[in-house]
Every structure is written in structure tokens, then in C-alpha cells.
């Protein structure tokens, strides 16, 4: 593996890097590795490096290192993100030592969440060696690991949400660079001229390190709006005006996002102020592939990028090939649940003509099974299994929209809208202002009801950082009653049932125009333990086999009335010239993955308050004792069915 700065210095033409985050599911990991292979394979140019994100406080440490190791085995250079606040030095050392053992040379040193004071720490006797800022981490790595690591830091062309001004942010960037940083990757932005002016200002301030702009293609209107709200990134008025009429057509928004990013990249590279581009993929493929193709960056036209790391797509379906004698696996191959991914030879050249005409027995068997099992979608995996949807000319576009918590568990993007993982999506100061200091269950019921009523005092909750959607407003009376003192069902997810609404509909529509969308009603909420058994009994007695129930707690207890392999498509669309698209799927694996995140959010919320305070004690108790419940009603033609079932009095 090489340092990023050495790779950059050996180039005379622009490069690109990709950013991915650790998928939440095993199937998502396998499919992500397939995507990385395709995005690094001819005719597309190979990325100079691939970065892997790291959850604040080390929350994704194991998964981040696992993904990094797989990418190294694919023959690609890795940039591992590493946050340092609220993490003991021992955990930082473990990550850095693991990187050394894998040959990873590049670290992106980040602060992460704002450091907690001793009063707010989760540890009874908090360690005094917590890092406070990213420059602390840079100095620590330099002091203890000398020049082994090539260290990157974050740059903010627009002020960080916690920063006072752009001038202040430049001061902190200079501190990080003076501490020993080697390169800079920027936060997302959409004002190119403003970015270029910022680069010029950096140079005037004596910042000489390579600056790599972070480009995040707009994937959907909802995720774009959420990202802007989270990062406080200013958006040119022209972009907002362009997006507004497209907001209900996810396909058009995605095309616009790719076209906009293409224009931005061209303008940035034409300036000659930066050496390359960093693409924030959100673990999705279609947009970045489109951008690279729009730029005409193909293997025949783009400058070669780290050719020793070229990898071949696997499995590639080629017909009429001879089955050759069994041979040992090629160097650089890895096997994940029986799925083999084979690298090219060491000099980066494609396999010779003989290998193009032959296939090993194991590969032949694998491709035959793959061809029988895979069509437009990979199969839903059984528990503990994983799938692959790889193939020549094939893209995993089946999970491209809508994206977020309820997408297919096979998707590398499952459970994510922005790639920042679980946790609170607003600053601590803003959270305390908007969420107050609840100390009783009654106050929490009022809090959730206040949000549903669009109260100015409660514009967000820990589970939603945007106002209630227009679609949720259509079932608002039911949601308010569920959250009332009578029921205390604190809802965090819901949708009404709809039957063949045009895809252009301003409230319910999504996907390409000219189609029709359908939904089953469902609702998710937190309840006391004693209510779970009552709900399950009610579903069994009065559900008429039309209601699926999932329930779980933080301890790992789980209840459902569905079979092990049951899959519930609760949102689907029928569009001209396309197969039916199932954009929202709920089943055991997806519920359990979300359950883990949901209770982490309660814990993060509790950390806003001092140890032993009534507010922290209340929220910690809910996190450890209450249950998350999801109910799905399968009669999508009866708009009242789920709500009548839930709200009717017990006999």
C-alpha cells in the first residue's frame, strides 16, 4: 500500500477517490464489495484510493476495519477515517496498529462529536486522555508513528455547524496542517466559485497541502434536504429553484444530481487549483458511475490511476468457455461466504486470451448458480447468508431510490440516508433547546405529541430532524391519539396505505413519471414491556392474519408472528418499461438492524444531560427497558384498518 501524497505526486493528471461506509448487514457488505469492484474496473478508471468512514466514538470500529481489510485484499489503497473525541487513546492505538498490520498507510484524522466534559461522560471515572480536537490526533499519530501514516484532515469551504465563522474554520485548518497533516479532504459544498475562492484563501494563509474537494451527488430531494439541514451547507438559489419542480420525481432528481456534479467537477478541475476529486457515494453506484461516464473518464481516455490495483469484475458471465483443470486461487482473491472475487495479475494487465476462453470448475459452478438465481434483484438472503448481484454490465440500481432506513437489507446503503450513521443529527445546544429536559414519561408523551402538532418549540425529535412530512399529516389524528397519555405509543415511523396513486403525486409519489405507487400502512413505536404481550395477543386474536408484528428490546429479546423467511414489501411502484420496484421492505433482519440503531439514539439523547440527573436516568431507563414495535397491515385498500385495530378499546 502507498501513501496518498506519493500517489498524487506521481500523477500529472486529475484523479478520483471514493468514500464508502460500513454496511449494516452481511448481504450489504457483499454487495458493496461487488460495487467497489465494478467502480474500479474497466471501462471505468480505478480510483486512486478508497476511504472508509468511522463512526463517532468508534461506534463502527469493528465494521470499518473489516470493510477496510476487504478493500485492501481487493488491491486498492485505503484511507481510513478515524474520529478521536470521546475515545481513549487505547482504542485509537488499536485502530492504528490494525492499519499497520494491514499495510494501510492513509488516515483521515477527524474530531467527531464534540468532546464531552467529565460531568457528561458515560464513564464513572472518565479517562483524562480523551482527545479534544483533530489536531490533537494529528500530533499524536506523528509523535507515536513517525512518518508511517499519511495523515489527512477535513476542510470546510463553508463554516462547520459548530464554528463561529469561516475565518475561525481556516484558523483551525491551519492548526491541523501545522500539526503534521499531509492532505485535506473537504466537506460537501454546492457553490463552486465559493469553493475556489476558499482554496485561494487557504493558499494565502500558507496552507500548502493538497486539497481534495468532496463531491456528494444529490440522490433524492429528501436526503438532500436532510443533508443541508445537518451540515448547514449553503445552497445556491439556482439549485433550489431547479430541484423544487422535480422534488416528487426521484429519478429526475438523481439525474439532475449527476448532471450538477459533472458540471461542478469540470469547473473545479478547469481551475487547476486542486489535483483530484473525492466522491461521497453514500454506498450507491449509479450516480458516481454516471458522473465518470459524463466526464468521459474511461480506461481508454482517462489517465491511468494506480494501474497495479486494477481488478476484474466478478463473476463475469462469459458463455462457451472451456472448463479448465482446477488450479489454486489467484493471488489477491478473497472469499466471502463462498463468493470469490479474483484480482488481475500483479502488473495490472487483464488476464490473457487463454483465460478469456476458459473457466475453472469452481467458477463455472458459481456462475451457473448465479445465473439461475439472479435476475433483476438478488434473492432475499436467509439468516446468516449473503448474496451478490455482480455481472458484466450489471449495476445494483435496484436500491437506488428511495434510500434510507427502510430500503432492502441487501442494499449496501440500507439503514442510511446520509452515511453518518446513527446518533443525533443536530448539535447538542440545538437539541437541548428543542427537546428540553424531560424527567417523566408523561413529559415525553407531551414531547412527541408536540412534535406531531408542529409546535414551534418542538421542530425535531431525536428520531427525525425534519418537520412532519405531508404524507404523515394525512394520518395525523391517529398518530396524535397513539402518542397520547391513554396509549403512550411513541411513534417514530409510519405511513398510510395507498392504492395506485400516480407517481407524480406531490404527497405520496416517487420514482419515474407515468407510474403508480402502492403502500401498506405500518407504524413503529416504543412501548412499555407489559404492553408488548398485550399487543401480541391482540394481533393473534383480532388481526385476522392481516397484521405482521415485530418487537424487540435492547437486551436482544425478539418477538414476531411471521416466519423466518417472511418478507413484507410495504411500498412498491409500477412504472412504464420497468419491473415492479419494491422500495420499502420490512422483515426480521431489517427490523433488528434498525432496532439496534433506535436504542442507540435513546442512549445518545441521554448523554446530553449530566450523570445521575433525572433526565438521563429516565432516558437510560427507556433505552434499557422499553420495546420497539412495528406493525404492518396487509390490506392496502382499507385506509382505516390498522388505526381502528390499534385504537379500539380492549374488551
Amino acid at each position: 500500500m502507498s501513501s496518498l501524497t506519493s500517489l498524487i505526486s506521481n500523477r500529472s493528471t486529475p484523479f478520483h477517490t471514493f468514500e464508502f461506509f460500513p454496511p449494516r448487514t452481511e448481504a450489504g457488505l457483499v454487495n458493496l464489495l461487488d460495487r467497489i469492484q465494478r467502480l474500479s474496473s474497466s471501462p471505468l478508471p480505478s480510483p486512486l484510493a478508497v476511504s472508509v468512514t468511522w463512526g463517532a466514538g468508534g461506534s463502527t470500529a469493528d465494521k470499518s476495519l473489516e470493510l477496510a481489510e476487504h478493500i485492501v485484499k481487493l488491491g486498492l489503497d485505503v484511507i481510513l477515517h478515524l474520529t478521536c473525541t470521546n475515545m481513549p487513546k487505547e482504542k485509537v492505538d488499536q485502530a492504528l496498529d490494525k492499519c499497520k498490520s494491514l499495510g494501510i498507510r492513509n488516515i483521515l484524522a477527524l474530531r467527531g462529536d464534540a468532546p464531552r466534559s467529565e460531568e457528561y461522560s458515560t464513564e464513572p471515572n472518565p479517562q483524562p486522555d480523551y482527545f479534544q480536537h483533530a489536531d490533537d490526533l494529528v500530533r499524536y499519530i506523528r509523535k507515536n508513528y513517525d512518518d508511517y501514516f499519511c495523515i489527512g484532515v477535513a476542510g470546510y469551504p463553508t463554516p462547520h455547524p459548530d464554528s463561529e465563522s469561516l475565518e475561525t474554520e481556516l484558523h483551525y485548518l491551519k492548526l491541523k496542517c501545522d500539526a503534521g497533516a499531509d492532505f485535506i479532504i473537504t466537506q460537501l459544498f454546492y457553490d463552486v466559485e465559493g469553493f475556489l475562492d476558499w482554496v485561494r484563501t487557504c493558499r494565502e494563509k500558507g496552507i500548502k497541502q493538497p486539497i481534495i474537494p468532496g463531491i456528494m451527488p444529490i440522490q433524492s430531494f429528501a436526503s438532500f434536504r436532510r443533508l443541508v439541514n445537518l451540515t448547514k451547507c449553503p445552497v445556491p438559489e439556482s439549485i433550489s429553484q431547479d430541484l423544487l419542480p422535480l422534488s416528487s420525481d426521484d429519478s429526475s432528481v438523481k439525474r439532475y444530481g449527476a448532471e450538477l456534479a459533472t458540471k461542478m467537477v469540470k469547473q473545479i478541475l478547469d481551475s487547476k487549483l486542486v489535483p483530484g476529486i473525492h466522491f461521497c457515494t453514500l454506498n450507491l453506484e449509479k450516480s458516481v458511475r454516471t458522473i465518470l461516464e459524463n466526464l468521459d473518464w474511461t480506461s481508454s481516455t482517462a489517465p491511468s490511476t494506480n494501474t497495479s490495483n486494477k481488478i476484474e469484475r466478478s463473476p463475469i458471465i462469459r458463455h462457451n468457455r472451456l472448463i479448465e483443470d482446477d488450479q489454486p486461487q489467484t493471488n489477491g482473491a478473497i472469499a466471502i461466504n463462498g463468493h470469490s472475487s479474483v484480482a488481475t495479475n500483479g502488473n495490472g494487465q487483464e488476464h490473457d486470451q487463454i483465460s478469456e476462453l476458459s473457466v475453472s470448475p469452481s467458477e463455472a459452478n458459481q456462475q451457473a448458480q448465479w445465473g439461475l438465481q439472479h435476475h433483476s434483484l438478488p434473492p432475499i438472503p436467509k439468516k446468516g447468508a449473503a448474496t451478490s448481484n455482480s455481472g458484466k454490465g450489471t449495476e445494483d440500481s435496484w436500491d437506488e431510490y428511495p434510500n434510507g432506513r427502510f430500503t432492502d437489507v441487501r442494499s449496501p446503503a440500507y439503514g442510511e440516508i446520509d452515511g453518518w450513521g446513527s446518533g443525533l443529527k443536530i448539535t447538542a445546544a440545538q437539541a437541548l433547546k428543542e427537546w428540553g429536559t424531560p424527567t417523566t414519561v408523561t413529559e415525553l408523551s407531551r414531547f412527541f405529541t408536540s412534535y406531531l402538532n408542529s409546535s414551534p418549540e418542538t421542530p425535531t425529535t431525536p428520531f427525525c430532524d425534519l418537520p412532519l412530512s405531508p404524507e404523515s399529516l394525512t394520518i395525523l389524528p391517529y398518530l396524535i391519539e397513539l402518542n397520547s397519555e391513554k396509549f403512550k405509543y411513541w411513534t417514530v415511523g409510519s405511513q398510510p396505505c395507498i392504492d395506485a396513486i400516480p407517481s407524480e403525486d406531490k404527497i405520496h409519489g416517487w420514482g419515474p413519471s407515468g407510474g403508480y405507487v402502492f403502500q401498506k400502512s405500518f407504524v413503529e413505536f416504543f412501548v412499555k414491556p407489559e404492553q408488548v404481550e398485550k399487543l401480541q395477543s391482540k394481533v393473534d386474536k383480532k388481526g385476522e392474519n392481516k397484521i405482521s408484528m415485530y418487537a424487540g428490546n435492547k437486551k436482544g429479546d425478539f418477538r414476531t408472528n411471521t416466519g423466518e423467511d417472511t418478507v413484507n414489501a410495504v411500498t412498491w411502484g409500477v412504472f412504464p418499461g420497468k419491473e415492479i420496484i419494491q422500495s420499502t421492505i420490512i422483515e426480521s433482519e431489517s427490523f433488528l438492524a434498525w432496532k439496534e440503531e433506535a436504542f442507540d439514539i435513546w442512549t445518545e439523547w441521554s448523554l446530553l444531560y449530566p450523570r445521575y440527573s433525572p433526565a438521563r436516568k429516565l432516558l437510560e431507563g427507556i433505552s434499557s427497558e422499553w420495546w420497539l414495535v412495528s406493525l404492518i397491515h396487509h390490506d392496502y385498500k382499507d385506509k382505516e384498518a390498522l388505526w381502528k385495530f390499534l385504537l379500539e378499546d380492549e374488551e
Side-chain angles (χ1 to χ4, degrees), residues 1 92-93 97 135 156 160 172 218 275 305-306 310 398 401 404 423 436 472 536 554 593 614 620:
M1 299 288 106
V92 171
D93 283 332
D97 290 343
D135 58 297
Y156 294 87
H160 187 282
Y172 288 129
I218 299 172
T305 58
N306 203 13
K310 279 288 185 178
W398 44 271
Y401 56 107
S472 296
Q536 188 168 17
K554 189 173 185 177
E620 287 178 339

Side-chain angles (χ1 to χ4, degrees), residues 528-542:
K528 294 180 179 179
E530 58 266 26
Q531 291 173 297
V532 176
E533 191 166 341
K534 293 179 181 178
L535 278 168
Q536 188 168 17
S537 176
K538 188 176 181 180
V539 168
D540 293 340
K541 293 177 181 178
K542 299 183 177 182

